[in-house]
């Protein structure tokens, strides 16, 4: 299994993966993301170099997006930091430490501080990130809910 930057040829597979993961979340009443995903938005992320994929054989089984933080966030951030978002693992591969591999790979790609967040009420996910070695940075209001922000220090950089 390898993590690499997604290419335009991967856009349909990434979009389909994100739709399967989102559908599964909706089935358990987790309103994490909008459904269905817009392939044009995925292509835009690929064009900006933000979308990464995990390949097993010739299948995309995981993905995440990551970008430099250049605009104000709803939480305080360190200069030169990155934001990890939209991490997803193919449902049939969940529970096999694939998510942890994606988190580790994201850290290796990043030179500075790396942030991610989740809905503050998702105790299971908060516990998952903590056990994966991420430090809880705080809980912050966003619109009509709260997010829990986590941070870690990156490795060597891209």
């Amino acid at each position: 299994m390898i993590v690499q930057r997604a290419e335009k040829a991967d856009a349909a597979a990434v979009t389909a993966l994100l739709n399967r993961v989102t559908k599964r979340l909706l089935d358990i009443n987790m309103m994490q993301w909008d459904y269905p995903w817009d392939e044009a938005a995925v292509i835009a992320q690929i064009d900006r170099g933000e979308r990464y994929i995990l390949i097993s054989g010739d299948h995309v089984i995981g993905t995440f997006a990551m970008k430099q933080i250049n605009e104000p966030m709803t939480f305080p951030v360190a200069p030169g930091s990155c934001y990890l978002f939209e991490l997803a693992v193919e449902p049939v591969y969940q529970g096999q430490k694939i998510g942890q591999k994606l988190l580790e790979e994201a850290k290796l790609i990043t030179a500075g501080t790396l942030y991610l967040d989740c809905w503050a009420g998702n105790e299971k996910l908060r516990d998952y990130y903590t056990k994966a070695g991420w430090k809880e940075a705080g809980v912050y209001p966003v619109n009509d809910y709260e997010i829990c922000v986590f941070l870690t220090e990156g490795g060597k950089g891209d």
Side-chain angles (χ1 to χ4, degrees), residues 2 7 9 20 25 35 39 44 46 48 51 61 74 84-85 90 99 103 115 126 142 144:
I2 59 167
E7 299 177 359
R20 285 189 296 276
L25 290 170
Y35 178 86
E39 188 170 328
I46 291 169
R48 291 189 302 267
R51 177 62 62 184
I61 65 166
T74 57
L84 174 67
F85 57 107
E90 184 69 62
L103 290 171
Y115 294 89
R126 288 173 70 171
V142 176
D144 60 345

Side-chain angles (χ1 to χ4, degrees), residues 41-104:
V42 172
I43 291 170
Q45 289 175 329
I46 291 169
D47 287 344
R48 291 189 302 267
E50 296 173 353
R51 177 62 62 184
Y52 292 81
I53 56 174
L54 175 64
I55 303 284
S56 178
D58 59 353
H59 300 303
V60 175
I61 65 166
T63 187
F64 64 87
M66 189 168 56
K67 65 181 179 179
Q68 282 288 135
I69 300 174
N70 296 319
E71 68 274 349
M73 300 293 281
T74 57
F75 50 88
V77 297
S81 55
C82 288
Y83 177 58
L84 174 67
F85 57 107
E86 297 173 359
L87 186 141
V89 175
E90 184 69 62
V92 297
Y93 288 91
Q94 292 176 5
Q96 299 178 32
K97 301 191 186 274
I98 302 295
Q100 189 160 351
K101 177 172 180 49
L102 291 173
L103 290 171
E104 289 299 318

